[in-house]
Amino acid sequence: MNASEKREHRERVVLITGAAGGIGAAIAERYAADGAAVGLVDFDATSGQVLAARLGAAGHRVHFAQADVASFGECETACTAIETALGPIDTLVNNAGISPKHAGKPVPIWQMEPAEWHRVVDVNLHSVFNFVRRLTPGMVDRKFGRIVSMSSVAGKAYLDIVAAHYGTTKAALIGMTRHLAGELGPHGITVNALAPGRIDTPMVAGAPREANDAVIRVTPLRRLGKPVEVADACLFLSSSRSDFITGQVVDVAGGWLMT
Ligand code: NAD
């Protein structure tokens, strides 16, 4: 294929991490509706299989692979299973992420357990290396790839509602996006990131009501975002409508923290 040719989602195999719930599930549904074959990766096998069964029953090409995205070996096995079921993966959505809280609150750095720091870095950042490392050889060979990673407005500015590990990893994803965009662009691969504001998912459902209200007050659109609104931006960044966009961070935040 000529690298400048357009390639629509219906011709693609998309791998989405953290696809069993929240934003990831909305992304999977949107790609499936656009005709893509969707590989779902999550460590929550029950929810992942339920979503895969629902998409499969609706006639979509889908495969669920259970993996802890922090483990390179499990990521490799999941990619191989999805490629065997659906074909070469040309679109990667690095969505899996965690933001541990203690009694609904971020833990101060001076009280953070080293194990918690390392786990968040492994899940939020090293996971992206794991999938990019496993999938880019094929993308480079085929001269085509689309990569979208889920950062956060907390990766662009200090937010007191998340802890240091979360803000640090989301900022690192922005740096990684820019580096990879430079390195992979000559090979026909675009790399972009999304920076959601506060989105109504299980990740924020456990937060105290005042925490959501405080964000809504400073969000010009005066509401939380919906997972499907992040999914729509993700699809744009991997679609043929954004073929000349790479190395960018797109806020999906209702105008919160315009940096
Ligand atoms: P969520 O907690 O609702 O869903 C996350 C999914 O990832 C779950 O299905 C979970 O099982 C899976 N997951 C977590 N750790 C995993 C691991 N080690 N291996 C495999 N799967 C794993 O989260 P969400 O709100 O949908 O967030 C999705 C992404 O968007 C995250 O990267 C998050 O940091 C980012 N984000 C969310 C918000 C928000 O307000 N919800 C804001 C900004 C950024």
Side-chain angles (χ1 to χ4, degrees), residues 86-253:
L86 302 175
I89 296 160
D90 48 28
T91 302
L92 166 64
V93 179
N94 296 302
N95 166 74
I98 53 174
S99 183
K101 303 274 175 7
H102 296 260
K105 296 209 164 110
V107 65
I109 190 71
W110 64 89
Q111 292 172 358
M112 188 180 288
E113 291 296 336
E116 181 176 309
W117 171 271
H118 286 286
R119 178 67 181 160
V120 173
V121 176
D122 282 344
V123 173
N124 291 7
L125 179 62
H126 293 160
S127 64
V128 179
F129 167 78
N130 293 341
F131 283 95
V132 167
R133 175 64 186 86
R134 170 61 179 73
L135 294 176
T136 45
M139 292 179 181
V140 168
D141 279 352
R142 295 187 296 275
K143 299 185 174 50
F144 181 87
R146 295 289 177 264
I147 299 172
V148 182
S149 299
M150 206 57 72
S151 179
S152 166
V153 289
K156 301 176 72 183
Y158 168 70
L159 283 184
D160 63 5
I161 56 176
V162 301
H165 42 34
Y166 187 83
T168 302
T169 53
K170 294 301 180 179
L173 284 181
I174 294 174
M176 190 175 183
T177 294
R178 291 178 178 145
H179 178 91
L180 294 179
E183 195 176 316
L184 296 171
H187 300 279
I189 301 166
T190 68
V191 188
N192 290 290
L194 291 167
R198 204 153 174 91
I199 310 298
D200 196 3
T201 71
M203 185 181 270
V204 306
R209 174 133 182 248
E210 313 83 70
N212 286 341
D213 289 347
V215 173
I216 290 168
R217 267 197 301 280
V218 293
T219 298
L221 293 181
R222 294 287 186 273
R223 62 174 175 85
L224 300 183
K226 301 174 194 154
V228 71
E229 292 171 321
V230 183
D232 283 339
C234 182
L235 262 74
F236 169 71
L237 285 178
S238 69
S239 77
S240 61
R241 289 167 193 266
S242 65
D243 278 346
F244 203 52
I245 298 178
T246 196
Q248 302 306 303
V249 184
V250 175
D251 289 14
V252 187

Side-chain angles (χ1 to χ4, degrees), residues 9-22:
H9 285 140
R10 62 178 177 277
E11 302 163 79
R12 307 264 198 97
V13 178
V14 182
L15 185 153
I16 303 141
T17 70

